[in-house]
Amino acid sequence: MGALFQNYARRPIAIDKGEGTVVFDTNGKRYLDFTSGIAVCSLGHAHPAIVKAIQDQSEKLWHISNLFESPGQEQLAASLVKDTHLSYAFFCNSGAEANEAAIKLARKHTGKHRIIVFEQSFHGRTFGAMSATGQDKVRNGFGPLVSEFITLPFNDVEALKAKADDSIAAIMLEMIQGEGGVNAVSEEFATAIKEICETNNILLIVDEVQTGIGRTGTRFAYEQTVLKPNIVSIAKGLGGGFPIGGILGTAELFNTFNAGTHGTTFGGNPLGVAVAQTVIDHIFDEAFLQAVNEKSAYLVKKLQESLPENYTIQGKGLMLGVGCGGVEVAPFITKLDEAGLLAVAAGPKVIRLLPPLTVSYEEIDEAVEIFKNVLVG
């Protein structure tokens, strides 16, 4: 045993290098990476534009702190809120940090403390984000959590109506529950949330850490619904592999996060911002997003043709979940590794497919063939 804490159930694979969708382990074995670092490597591994952005910025400035003006942050913020109802951004280092900021902002702005969250959700492992997460396996063993989170069944309109009133500061949810099984918000539930928030003066926090930045075929997944969130948390795909997160907020929230109310040492550092701007410049292109949707449709079609009828396919864009007839998927994940396809579970009974948004049709064909051979034989 080495010097690391054993808090990860690591697979016996050490990835050494990668390019695009393809990675190699230290033994030289080739894999198709349909995890993308869990929806992080949005432009694939070692994308030339990202490599250049890091190289160029590293020769100028790595860190200066948020004591000083940041033209790079200003440009990135403007790019993220352009043509949306959102107005301002705050940058941090991860999705958990982004959700902590969202929770703090909602409570401070409203003066209220109660936040509605949902079963099977995942918002991070810091104390506030963990308290908002609707999975006991994430929360057990850490003692008293942050109070005032009300956990309700996902997509249950009546349960939401029974608890939501003007004492609630915010409703917080994922458009698609990534860790919870690739469960998407229903149209009925989205409509109910919109009406309840408007009627009771409740803020809406949408966690787009996994679904955002083109993963579901639009810039943000909420754009495919009637929802207009007050706060959107982002991370993962924003940096294409470089650690950066943030929140986007509406104009009404501007004066709530004034000087000294929240901060971070490394958040929005020049390296992270340069990479994120490069990622946004690629992904927020209309033709790029259209290609994501076309690849998604192709991947779904190929899976449907290759898998038994009792297997389910859910999700959007290149965030797809495959339910394997109600059986545990852990053994399948191991066999996929052995066959050269990296995937990740979404709960005990769903396999999550998260290829880079740049995945090719040939790579999709190869992945589906491996998938079929392992799952069906």
Side-chain angles (χ1 to χ4, degrees), residues 51-96:
V51 172
K52 186 176 188 303
I54 292 176
Q55 288 175 336
D56 290 349
Q57 185 60 48
S58 71
E59 294 172 359
K60 294 191 294 184
L61 186 69
W62 289 36
H63 178 75
I64 192 62
S65 94
N66 287 300
L67 294 173
F68 303 95
E69 295 287 345
S70 176
Q73 285 189 29
E74 292 284 357
Q75 181 184 353
L76 179 59
S79 298
L80 286 164
V81 302
K82 182 181 179 182
D83 298 326
T84 75
H85 69 290
L86 302 160
S87 299
Y88 299 105
F90 162 81
F91 296 112
C92 52
N93 306 286
S94 69

Side-chain angles (χ1 to χ4, degrees), residues 58-362:
S58 71
E59 294 172 359
K60 294 191 294 184
L61 186 69
W62 289 36
H63 178 75
I64 192 62
S65 94
N66 287 300
L67 294 173
F68 303 95
E69 295 287 345
S70 176
Q73 285 189 29
E74 292 284 357
Q75 181 184 353
L76 179 59
S79 298
L80 286 164
V81 302
K82 182 181 179 182
D83 298 326
T84 75
H85 69 290
L86 302 160
S87 299
Y88 299 105
F90 162 81
F91 296 112
C92 52
N93 306 286
S94 69
E97 286 186 33
N99 284 326
E100 290 284 343
I103 291 164
K104 288 179 67 175
L105 179 56
R107 289 176 62 158
K108 189 172 191 297
H109 182 77
T110 63
K112 299 182 286 187
H113 304 143
R114 305 172 78 204
I115 296 177
I116 290 176
V117 294
F118 298 98
E119 294 174 359
Q120 297 306 118
S121 61
F122 182 83
H123 298 294
R125 297 181 186 273
T126 50
F127 255 89
M130 177 175 64
S131 301
T133 292
Q135 299 188 53
D136 287 341
K137 68 179 184 180
V138 175
R139 302 182 298 192
N140 288 343
F142 295 101
L145 301 173
V146 177
S147 62
E148 307 289 1
F149 286 98
I150 302 168
T151 305
L152 302 178
F154 189 60
N155 277 335
D156 189 327
V157 173
E158 294 307 313
L160 180 61
K161 288 181 176 179
K163 291 293 185 180
D165 56 33
D166 61 8
S167 71
I168 302 297
I171 295 172
M172 183 176 188
L173 79 162
E174 301 155 278
M175 292 290 93
I176 302 174
Q177 293 184 326
E179 301 295 324
V182 195
N183 308 309
V185 169
S186 69
E187 184 176 349
E188 178 188 18
F189 199 53
T191 300
I193 289 171
K194 180 176 185 292
E195 293 172 353
I196 286 168
C197 286
E198 290 174 352
T199 301
N200 296 283
N201 195 29
I202 297 171
L203 295 182
L204 177 59
I205 303 170
V206 170
D207 178 342
E208 294 257 17
V209 168
Q210 188 162 161
T211 56
I213 318 299
R215 175 55 57 181
T216 65
T218 50
R219 295 171 301 178
F220 307 102
Y222 79 79
E223 294 175 306
Q224 301 175 43
T225 73
V226 299
L227 296 175
K228 297 285 187 182
N230 304 90
I231 305 170
V232 175
S233 56
I234 52 177
K236 286 189 180 286
L238 176 62
F242 196 97
I244 185 171
I247 59 170
L248 310 177
T250 51
E252 65 185 313
L253 302 173
F254 179 73
N255 290 325
T256 302
F257 255 12
N258 50 21
T261 53
H262 191 59
T264 163
T265 296
F266 296 107
N269 69 78
L271 282 169
V273 166
V275 172
Q277 186 65 58
T278 301
V279 170
I280 292 300
D281 289 345
H282 280 74
I283 292 178
F284 281 14
D285 176 77
E286 186 176 336
F288 186 98
L289 291 171
Q290 179 61 31
V292 171
N293 285 303
E294 291 170 357
K295 291 172 187 176
S296 172
Y298 183 79
L299 175 53
V300 169
K301 180 175 180 291
K302 296 289 288 188
L303 288 169
Q304 289 172 335
E305 293 172 349
S306 303
L307 300 176
E309 290 184 1
N310 65 325
Y311 281 39
T312 59
I313 302 170
Q314 60 243 32
K316 296 180 180 179
L318 292 175
M319 181 180 178
L320 299 177
V322 178
C324 303
V327 303
E328 300 278 333
V329 301
F332 289 134
I333 297 289
T334 299
K335 291 178 181 178
L336 288 170
D337 285 349
E338 294 169 355
L341 176 63
L342 303 181
V344 63
K349 297 182 179 180
V350 176
I351 297 175
R352 211 174 345 163
L353 299 178
L354 300 163
L357 305 184
T358 52
V359 64
S360 70
Y361 287 96
E362 293 76 15

